[in-house]
Every structure is written in C-alpha cells, then in structure tokens.
Amino acid sequence: MTQQKPSKKDFVDLINSLMGQKIMTEDQLTKFLNDAKKVKETKGTEGFLEFVQKTTNAPASKDQLERLADEIKRSGNPVNAIDFLIKEKLLTDQQARKINQAIEHTKKKKRKN
C-alpha cells in the first residue's frame, strides 16, 4: 500500500486550521507554488528564500530558512522540521502541537478514504 501525499486542499485546510480562520484558498496556494517555482528557476535558491520571506513575512532569516530546507532534504521528515523551528524559536511548543495534531488528523482522514 502506497502512502498518499497530502493534497493542496489538505494543506490549505491545515493552514486555515492553524490560523483559526480562512486565510488561503487552493487557488492562492497554486499561485504561490507556481510563483515560487518560477523564482527558483530564474533566481536560484537565494532568490527563492527571499521570495518565501517576502511573501509570507516569515520571521526567519535566510540562514535559518536555508538550514530548515537542508533539514527537510536530509531527513525527509516534517517532524524534524518542526523540531528545528522550535529550536530556532520560530515556533512555540503550543504551535508545534497544533501542527502535529493537524498532520495526524490529515493522516487519519487519508486512511479512511
């Protein structure tokens, strides 16, 4: 049995759930991903990281974003990324718990389908 990856809808639902209100739609996520891909292709990783910082108002430095990307590539595990964000004080323990709960909810939902 192959594991299904979360859909864009799952990811949008996760973001909206974490924010406590509807702040993103699937169309907005698609546009963001397409724009991010174009920036990566034309300006490389450095340009991509600047794009992420600018569009998300991420409170992370480019160095932190680079290390986060490296951690995700190295481990392939979102839990490790969350641990990294806690260690860098970019997420609180409470925020991390909410994210983990939303991820588990999505996994359960996928298993039912």
Side-chain angles (χ1 to χ4, degrees), residues 94-109:
Q94 182 181 4
Q95 291 167 321
R97 275 192 300 280
K98 282 181 82 173
I99 292 170
N100 283 326
Q101 287 170 349
I103 290 170
E104 286 304 313
H105 176 73
T106 299
K107 285 180 184 177
K108 287 177 186 174
K109 195 166 102 177

Side-chain angles (χ1 to χ4, degrees), residues 16-17 21 27 29 34-35 42 44-45 48 66 72 75 80-81 85-87 111-113:
N16 291 335
S17 168
Q21 60 184 331
D27 289 341
L29 179 60
N34 288 338
D35 290 349
T42 58
T45 301
F48 171 76
E66 285 174 356
I72 292 168
S75 71
N80 291 348
L85 293 171
I86 292 169
K87 186 175 79 178
R111 282 189 288 244
K112 287 181 181 179
N113 294 333

Side-chain angles (χ1 to χ4, degrees), residues 27-73:
D27 289 341
Q28 289 170 318
L29 179 60
T30 297
K31 181 179 179 347
F32 174 81
L33 294 172
N34 288 338
D35 290 349
K37 183 178 178 182
K38 286 177 191 170
V39 169
K40 173 77 166 96
E41 290 170 351
T42 58
K43 297 183 180 179
T45 301
E46 189 75 16
F48 171 76
L49 294 174
E50 287 176 16
F51 171 80
V52 170
Q53 273 185 308
K54 184 178 176 183
T55 57
T56 65
N57 294 318
S61 69
K62 277 192 271 183
D63 180 57
Q64 287 172 315
L65 290 174
E66 285 174 356
R67 292 194 324 251
L68 175 60
D70 289 343
E71 177 65 27
I72 292 168
K73 283 184 217 172

